[in-house]
Amino acid sequence: MFANFNSMKKVSFNIATICFLCFYLLVACTKFEEEIDIADIPGPYVVSSYLYPGMDTVKVYVHQAYSLNAQIQTGLIIPVENAEVLIANAQSGKLRLMYNPNDSTYAIDGNALRITAGQQYTLSVAIADHPLIESAVVVPFPNENFGIIKTDSNTSQYVKDYYFKAFINDSAGIQNNYQLFGTAEIETVCQTDTAVEITTEMSMIFDYSPLISDQTRDGQTFHQNADLSVFDRFYPYQCHSTALSINLKLIHLEGFTYTYLKALEDFDIALGDPFAQYVIVPSNLTNAQGVFGAYAVVEKEILWSELSK
Amino acid sequence: MRRSMLVLFLFLSCFSAQAQIKSCSISGLVRDAITGESLPGAHVFVQATNTGVITNNYGFYVLTLPPGDYILKISYVGYNPLELPFQLQKAERLDIKLNPSIELHEIEVKARMSQLQNPQMGILHIPMIQAASIPALMGEKDVLKAFQLMPGVQSGKEGTGGLFVRGGGSDQNLIILDDAVVYNANHLFGFFSLFNGQAIKEVSLIKGGFPARYGGRLSSVIDITMKEGDMSAYHGEAGIGLIASRIMFEGPIKAGKSSFMIAGRRTYFDLLSRPFLSENEQPAYFFYDLNLKTNFVLNEKNRLYISAFLGKDELNTRSSEHDIVNKMGLNWRNILANVRLNTLLSNGLFMNNTLVFSQYNSGYYLNQEDNHINKSYHIEHSNGLKDISLKSDFVLGAVPRHTIRFGSSLSYYQFMPRKIVLKNEFTNEYDNESESSQSGLLSFYIEDEFVYDKWMYNIGLRQNFYTSGKHWLVRAEPRITIGYLIGNKSSIKASFTMMNQFIHLMSSTGTMLPADIWLPATKSIQAQQSIQYSIGYEREFSRLKADFSLEAYYKTSSNVLTYRDGANFFFIDASNPPQQINWEANVTSGKAKAFGFEAMLHKKQGKLNGWLGYGWSKSSVRFNEINSGDWFPSDYDRRHDISIVLSYDFKPNRKVSASWTYMTGHPVTLPYHTSVAHKPYDFEGYTSPTSFINIDYYGERNNYRTDNYHRLDLALQLTKPLKHGERTWEIGVYNAYNHYNPFMYYVDNLYGTDKRILKKTTLFPFIPSITYVRKF
């Protein structure tokens, strides 16, 4: 077929080949997407509440999920206003939470419903024409066995880097789940033309606060690395920064609360990634989605001068 | 177990009774008369006794007959059939050489009875010459994708090479390349298979009625044989396509005594795209594979084969901003090597010993370099599997009408589900941790293939002894296929097979990404097991030179695995160090069942050749922890599957081919609802009533069925004989009428808003291709 080409035909052939390749690249690199319709059926009820010792107000969110097809801006909450929300506890008895339209929650004062570590609380939400929504949670005890040590430092022309290792000593024999947060308080002194200005700011020392479970490391010590950079600035004024203290906050999570928050984290990571396994966020409520969770917080402030190397 | 032993006893009794009859065996090798290559799958038939056999992977055949005068008829697609009269008085060896046919489509095959008389059912076979004419995505010929066009074999996502056979998963296919198990048969995330068509001589897929010599997977056996190399002359073939180029070269090392074949293929996305990319952003992807095979005729009775395969995929990206350089990459690699020794121990007894090494590794890495302060962060995740196996296989033809096969295999598996290397110079953090485990499998098998008058059967037993740590399993697998010839044009067959699978693939996507990990069966994640019943009808249309088959099946499986809801293997972060990942806790096991029927009219020869196929199937699974423990459709449950593949030689050296496929949509899990999920505190740990994220609610698993899939591909091949060899231009079109087939469904935000919407993505619209192949 191509044996008897004259030169003109060859030129035409080459042009045709180039056009063909361009067309190929154009089509092959195009991503075709279209929006699809799915059945518009009412969504499940979603109930969310977290308890922790000493909380001022106990709040319960009750709302209804809506179809992906619904013309509703995501993030909008459709509150359920006519539910009967009760929380029961051996100490406080069964108490009803009242709906507050200002923040679309059912709430009760923390003095009336006192949240205490080690106590079990049961939640029930009654909505007309819907099976009773129920759940129970035991509020965990706070864990005070944690701290932080300075491991290294490095000084360059305009910056000082400090490296730390935070630790959590796990209690053996019971399931524990944690999340650790840390901030440093930094004081900056700037010499302006006319005055000395002193400002303080908080800087996070962990790039990321992972959810930690002792499921396979019961009774061990968990470590988390941290770092802090303190700058010396020369423009527009000569400024000098000093770290004053480290603030650590250890959140001790009840078992399902950990599972739920981990699933939310996984969901967030997997969103938009077509190759990731879809994440189904679990629920510990019967007849509804959401969570009835609990945790306990311990905060520690460690002065910079007390940080040992 | 007792029942299996009883079956074995019965057929051995039958075997010993038959042995009393005075008989002689005729055996030998069937080879290409020019190149000396063995011809596996050739039909050897004796008209007078109405018996026949099919040669094994090494071209060996054996027939045991009473003494007398016979005419042996030998046929093989693409070769001139041969009739050999011979006198049988004692055990004899008769090697047969077949001449390749010059005009393939004009050959009339007379000795076809052996196909109907072969008790094997559920087998799909595509002659390589036919596979080469099927239109392919971007012109890259792919035997695995050709199987996707046959009934009973479902494809996964659009364009990918995953095979889902009779309701099974993609990990339930035993893919063997020259006796070595392939653990990831995909290039480019599954869009192309590992197998370079130029290097392949023979390929078949068994989807039911498995003979006892095969084991280790539940759903199918894909047996691929590489070319051996021409023993008399040097030949080659080179091809240039849009995405890859390939070359194959073969020839004698010592004429008539030894030969070699070497074939390689490489993509050039990375090389072609480099000039168009800025220095700051450089994604680069390539894959290559290399096949090598040599064989040596040591003497009359012994022949040595050495084969090797290396295939690698690598994706690297690099981006930089100021002094920060970010690099990311992922890769996967298969290495296979084996040594095989064929021995004709005596006339009628063939032995093959094989030592196999197979390794699969995959991984990904992230690297960040700060050139200003000369520090870097580097993290690597990898996983892999090593398989070292020793196999012995025997074929014995000592009793009239019986072919006895027996053998053993011993496999040692070393699994490395996770290895993490961390070098963080910013925080002085260094880590190098890995997990590994071992398991072993010892299997023995025996099978008897028997053809007598109108009856035929293959009865076998495979006995497995498996260990993983302190966990021991002993599993027997009885296999029975019985057939009956109706007239001389058709037959009916029925089979019962039991299969076990002792390794699992933990796959989050089904696309064999590096996050997919092979793991051994353990005490808590038991070996998978399946039982399949099938019944079939075959008919031969001599004038059409075509075969028709109709098969129905019912398959149940136990201990099949799936992810628990919410499980996530893919994202490994600081909160999931390797010692904390509990694989067994992330999966749950359950049951599966599948049933359906498949019809196929296959014309392997003639100016017009191809096939028409239709499959109806239903497959479902049940897991206690998912969908309230109810049965629900499995991932690739497709009700209807139609395929039409035709190739027409309209002029000498001019060929046009077309394939059309239609499949019912398959189930996927999609969210129907969305809402907010409250968090107790913000990212700094402060209690916050307004901290929440938008999440979607999925409801039940596999709650949505994708759009139906259909596609027409066309190809035109223009071949011209040259002084030395020939050249072929192939112009092809994939998805000729540009149907937007679904590739995936996912949730996204409507552009410029927070509103969540469901989207369907099409990956391959109308795609033309052009390929040039030169044979020399």
Side-chain angles (χ1 to χ4, degrees), chain B residues 490-544:
Chain B
S490 55
S491 66
I492 53 167
K493 293 171 187 172
S495 73
F496 165 85
T497 55
M498 187 181 275
M499 305 290 278
N500 284 286
Q501 183 164 331
F502 299 95
I503 60 173
H504 307 294
L505 180 69
M506 299 290 114
S507 171
S508 60
T509 60
T511 51
M512 287 299 290
L513 280 169
D516 298 351
I517 295 163
W518 287 99
L519 289 166
T522 61
K523 195 173 182 181
S524 53
I525 301 178
Q526 290 276 327
Q528 300 174 56
Q529 193 168 46
S530 75
I531 293 172
Q532 186 178 166
Y533 306 87
S534 51
I535 184 162
Y537 170 78
E538 285 175 12
R539 183 174 168 83
E540 180 193 299
F541 297 95
S542 307
R543 287 180 64 189
L544 268 176

Side-chain angles (χ1 to χ4, degrees), chain B residues 612-626:
Chain B
L612 309 175
Y614 172 73
W616 183 95
S617 63
K618 187 171 183 180
S619 65
S620 40
V621 287
R622 189 176 76 177
F623 301 93
N624 286 338
E625 298 174 33
I626 294 167

Side-chain angles (χ1 to χ4, degrees), chain B residues 246-278:
Chain B
R246 53 207 161 272
I247 187 161
M248 187 276 292
F249 191 61
E250 61 178 329
I253 299 171
K254 188 177 179 185
K257 291 286 180 191
S258 55
S259 65
F260 72 93
M261 186 281 299
I262 184 164
R265 179 168 59 153
R266 193 194 190 280
T267 55
Y268 26 67
F269 296 128
D270 54 330
L271 305 173
L272 293 179
S273 61
R274 200 167 289 168
F276 305 103
L277 298 169
S278 72

